[in-house]
Amino acid sequence: MASADELTFHEFEEATNLLAETPDAATTSRSDQLTPQGHVAVAVGSGGSYGAEDEVEEESDKAAVLNRIKGSLLPRPGHNFVRHHLRNRPDLYGPFWICATLAFVLAVTGNLTLVLAQRRDPSIHYSPQFHKVTVAGISIYCYAWLVPLALWGFLRWRKGVRERMGPYTFLETVCVYGYSLFVFIPMVVLWLIPVPWLQWLFGALALGLSATGLVFTLWPVVREDTRLVAMVLLSAVVLLHALLAVGCKLYFFQSLPPEKVAPPSQITSLPSNIPLPPTLPQSMAPS
């Protein structure tokens, strides 16, 4: 009959062979995982759980981005975007791709507008304007980064003046501005409709939604300041947003002038006081 030491040795040898066959296996030597007989428990893992956790985390991030986009499209009074959607977890993934998509859509639709205008009026001369892609990218990204930087710096300065003010972090401010630009993407697509008053109507609706979301988000911070500073700051935020929308409309969707056609040659009439040369008789006319 084998002793306890021999049984332990055989079990340890089996565990060693099992680890040699499966390198991903993990041994646990904690006392709470020992069997009642003192045997060593061997846990074999394939590593698949890590991939599953990564997929779950990726799906969670996508759901968070979609939730933030919905929140930027439907601003509500008392519904703070930072508190209800960011929740101390600002991201740059959403703002980066929103700005990239908006710049690309601006450049493409701006060229498509001119193509459609040329189809309606052949006198309009059109050539591809690839420089609009660069202009759109620089304009959108500068706005989405420089304006939040200036706003964040101003609020940090006012925090020293008004100790009760608690400004958002720089990443939170960038995130708020980035998601606020999403509503301009469908607006730019709708600008392909060649009806000027309808284009301005779509622009006003998109600007209203986006600016309202910014005001609702910034109000809990600036209301601790004086009324004059709060009103001036919020007015500047709305004004800059409006300048961005109007600038995009006037630059990327401007109508091209028709081609200049040379006027037909006109016969100049002689003054009435100049006598006409006498007509020759028919018999003297040259043959």
Side-chain angles (χ1 to χ4, degrees), residues 184 187 190-191 193 195-209 245 249:
F184 289 119
M187 175 201 70
L190 291 174
W191 275 351
I193 302 175
V195 181
W197 68 268
L198 199 57
Q199 293 176 347
W200 287 109
L201 177 61
F202 290 144
L205 291 176
L207 175 62
L209 288 175
K249 175 66 174 66

Side-chain angles (χ1 to χ4, degrees), residues 78-91:
H79 196 78
N80 193 323
F81 184 83
V82 174
R83 182 180 303 172
H84 292 86
H85 297 284
L86 296 187
R87 298 176 181 176
N88 297 324
R89 292 185 57 191
D91 70 286

Side-chain angles (χ1 to χ4, degrees), residues 103 105-114 129 131-137 139-140 188 191 244 246-255:
V105 172
L106 264 176
V108 172
T109 52
N111 280 271
L112 283 177
T113 301
L114 299 178
Q129 300 178 348
H131 66 279
K132 287 188 174 181
V133 179
T134 305
V135 174
S139 303
I140 298 301
V188 170
W191 275 351
L244 176 68
V246 174
C248 291
K249 175 66 174 66
L250 297 179
Y251 180 80
F252 293 97
F253 294 86
Q254 60 181 345
S255 58

Side-chain angles (χ1 to χ4, degrees), residues 207-219:
L207 175 62
L209 288 175
S210 184
T212 301
L214 289 176
V215 171
F216 287 166
T217 302
L218 296 175
W219 175 247

Side-chain angles (χ1 to χ4, degrees), residues 16-35:
T16 304
N17 295 335
L18 182 61
L19 289 174
E21 294 176 359
T22 57
D24 294 335
T27 59
T28 57
S29 59
R30 293 177 295 183
S31 59
D32 56 344
Q33 292 183 349
L34 294 178
T35 58

Side-chain angles (χ1 to χ4, degrees), residues 35-265:
T35 58
Q37 293 83 7
H39 298 164
V40 179
V42 179
V44 180
S46 60
S49 60
Y50 296 102
E53 292 177 358
D54 293 340
E55 292 179 359
V56 171
E57 184 176 358
E58 184 178 357
E59 292 295 330
S60 176
D61 293 339
K62 291 180 179 179
V65 171
L66 293 177
N67 184 37
R68 292 170 182 181
I69 290 176
K70 294 178 182 178
S72 66
L73 293 175
L74 300 172
R76 291 178 293 172
H79 196 78
N80 193 323
F81 184 83
V82 174
R83 182 180 303 172
H84 292 86
H85 297 284
L86 296 187
R87 298 176 181 176
N88 297 324
R89 292 185 57 191
D91 70 286
L92 295 179
Y93 176 84
F96 175 82
W97 286 111
I98 288 174
C99 292
T101 305
L102 178 58
F104 178 77
V105 172
L106 264 176
V108 172
T109 52
N111 280 271
L112 283 177
T113 301
L114 299 178
V115 172
L116 297 176
Q118 187 183 33
R119 287 179 175 271
R120 294 190 302 269
D121 187 0
S123 64
I124 296 178
H125 175 70
Y126 164 75
S127 60
Q129 300 178 348
F130 298 106
H131 66 279
K132 287 188 174 181
V133 179
T134 305
V135 174
I138 294 176
S139 303
I140 298 301
Y141 276 103
C142 286
Y143 179 83
W145 282 90
L146 296 182
V147 174
L149 178 62
L151 178 62
W152 173 77
F154 179 80
L155 292 177
R156 292 285 296 179
W157 172 68
R158 294 300 298 177
K159 180 183 179 182
V161 179
R162 310 283 294 186
E163 295 182 357
R164 294 180 59 187
M165 290 184 61
Y168 302 129
T169 65
F170 174 64
L171 289 182
E172 287 175 341
T173 309
V174 171
C175 197
V176 169
Y177 264 83
Y179 281 101
S180 70
L181 296 177
F182 180 83
V183 70
F184 289 119
I185 296 177
M187 175 201 70
V188 170
V189 176
L190 291 174
W191 275 351
L192 287 173
I193 302 175
V195 181
W197 68 268
L198 199 57
Q199 293 176 347
W200 287 109
L201 177 61
F202 290 144
L205 291 176
L207 175 62
L209 288 175
S210 184
T212 301
L214 289 176
V215 171
F216 287 166
T217 302
L218 296 175
W219 175 247
V221 176
V222 301
R223 69 181 176 183
E224 300 295 339
D225 208 326
T226 62
R227 182 177 296 273
L228 177 62
V229 173
M231 292 297 102
V232 171
L233 180 61
L234 293 180
S235 299
V237 168
V238 175
L239 179 61
L240 290 175
H241 228 52
L243 288 177
L244 176 68
V246 174
C248 291
K249 175 66 174 66
L250 297 179
Y251 180 80
F252 293 97
F253 294 86
Q254 60 181 345
S255 58
L256 290 179
E259 292 181 344
K260 294 182 178 181
V261 182
S265 58

